[in-house]
């Protein structure tokens, strides 16, 4: 028998922060009730995660309950419409964030070792987009996490995300990195390196690229991209190309291509 708890019973607030426990904050119940709510919540997360992947053309789903359960450092914000489904409520958006240990290049070709909060997945149901729901969800996350939009790294930003950041947060352009993350130029003014750069300063450009390739986000690095713009050979010395992704600002990502790339080990990552 399939259990299903109405969204309004599972999620008390319009925006709910979910962690690896998969128990909504404020939920009380016995073991059986907790299990039922976890199962219902998991199905809700899986359904939205699947839609998000489809909307972004990903070949692999980024957000599932199982993945969240196994990632204690990730946080998922769920947005509901309490009036939908005849007053039972409906989950209409998700935003997943988490810290990642990354090597990023600034505009002066300096490699920086940082651990920013990253936008790992972001989705509002197709029939609800452009009604301010994304902004609400994003604002809530910024406030909860105590960060500004330009302090975030975005994993595999889509063209819609580019527009969204520009319109809502004045982020005019993003610097795309070869590990598929992108940051605002202002990012580097406020981010602190997690350790001295000296270990990296002696690295060749090729080695720096390897470092970046080694520290992938969700869509995994572009070490051996299969198709699309990622298929083009990138000379290791063309550092500006690496920083800007070789295609101007914020080109649409063929994330399906990206996520189908093999995941490389975090060779230089101590985490
Ligand atoms: N085309 C271009 N820009 C779009 C867009 C679209 N289809 N949908 C949203 N945007 C941008 C625009 O800047 C828009 O402002 P405008 O309508 O005045 O042009 C703004 O977002 C709307 O903001 P808001 O209503 O708060 O956002 P939203 O509820 O539409 O949610 C997304 C924004 C990105 C989460 C949503 O569009 C989405 O789920 N897209 C598909 C998945 C995706 O690309 N996720 C980003 C992964 S990094």
């Amino acid at each position: 028998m399939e259990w299903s708890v109405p969204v309004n019973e599972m999620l008390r607030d319009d925006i709910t922060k979910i962690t690896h426990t998969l128990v909504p904050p404020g939920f009380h119940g016995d073991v059986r009730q907790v299990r039922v709510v976890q199962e219902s919540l998991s199905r809700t997360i899986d359904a939205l995660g699947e839609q998000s992947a489809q909307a972004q053309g990903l070949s692999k789903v980024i957000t599932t309950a199982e993945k969240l359960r196994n990632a204690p450092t990730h946080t998922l914000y769920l947005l509901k419409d309490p009036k939908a489904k005849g007053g039972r409520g409906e989950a209409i958006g998700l935003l997943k964030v988490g810290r990642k240990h990354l090597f990023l290049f600034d505009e002066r070709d300096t490699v920086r070792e940082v651990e920013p909060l990253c936008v790992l997945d972001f989705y509002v149901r197709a029939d609800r987009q452009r009604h301010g729901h994304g902004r609400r969800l994003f604002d809530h996350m910024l406030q909860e996490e105590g960060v500004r939009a330009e302090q975030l790294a975005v994993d595999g930003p889509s063209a819609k995300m580019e527009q969204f950041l520009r319109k809502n947060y004045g982020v005019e352009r993003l610097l795309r990195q070869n590990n598929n993350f992108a940051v605002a130029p202002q990012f580097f003014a406020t981010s602190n390196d997690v350790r001295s750069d000296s270990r990296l300063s002696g690295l060749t450009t090729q080695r720096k690229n390897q470092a970046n390739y080694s520290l992938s986000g969700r869509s995994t690095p572009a070490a051996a991209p299969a198709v699309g713009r990622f298929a083009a050979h990138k000379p290791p010395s063309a550092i500006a190309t690496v920083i800007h992704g070789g295609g101007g600002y914020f080109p649409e990502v063929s994330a399906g291509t990206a996520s189908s790339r093999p995941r490389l080990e975090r060779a230089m990552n101590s985490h």
Side-chain angles (χ1 to χ4, degrees), residues 192-211:
N192 293 321
D193 286 40
V194 291
R195 69 182 84 165
S196 160
D197 228 0
S198 60
R199 190 169 61 93
L200 296 165
S201 58
L203 295 178
T204 62
T205 301
Q206 189 176 12
R207 190 68 191 91
K208 288 175 188 172
N209 285 340
Q210 285 167 359

Side-chain angles (χ1 to χ4, degrees), residues 52 55-56 119 122-124 128-136 154-158 160-161 163-164 167-168 218:
S52 177
Q56 296 175 67
V119 174
F122 185 29
Y123 174 70
V124 168
R128 305 301 190 98
Q129 289 174 16
R130 292 188 133 157
H131 287 87
H133 295 304
R135 170 79 195 245
R136 239 176 104 208
V154 183
D155 195 359
S158 65
K160 287 184 185 180
M161 183 64 173
Q163 299 277 345
F164 174 85
K167 181 193 170 179
N168 292 310
R218 66 156 171 180

Side-chain angles (χ1 to χ4, degrees), residues 62-169:
I62 304 299
T63 303
T64 65
E66 188 57 27
K67 285 184 177 168
L68 188 61
R69 193 195 302 275
N70 292 320
T73 59
H74 290 179
T75 303
L76 182 71
Y77 292 89
L78 277 182
L79 173 69
K80 73 168 183 179
D81 174 357
K83 297 192 184 118
K85 300 248 163 124
R88 285 163 58 91
E90 181 181 32
I92 60 167
L94 67 77
L95 173 56
K96 186 167 76 170
V97 296
R99 287 203 181 268
K100 295 262 177 195
H101 194 103
L102 301 173
F103 291 85
L104 303 177
F105 291 92
D106 66 18
E107 285 188 290
R108 285 181 299 177
D109 190 16
T110 304
V111 68
R112 305 278 301 271
E113 189 176 356
V114 289
E115 210 164 280
L117 190 70
C118 301
V119 174
L120 303 173
D121 202 2
F122 185 29
Y123 174 70
V124 168
R125 279 180 59 111
D127 56 342
R128 305 301 190 98
Q129 289 174 16
R130 292 188 133 157
H131 287 87
H133 295 304
R135 170 79 195 245
R136 239 176 104 208
L137 194 49
F138 212 83
D139 278 350
H140 186 95
M141 178 277 292
L142 292 177
Q143 192 168 359
E144 276 284 312
E145 304 288 340
V147 293
R148 297 191 305 278
E150 67 269 19
Q151 294 176 304
L152 297 167
V154 183
D155 195 359
S158 65
K160 287 184 185 180
M161 183 64 173
E162 173 191 17
Q163 299 277 345
F164 174 85
L165 287 173
R166 186 177 296 137
K167 181 193 170 179
N168 292 310
Y169 301 100

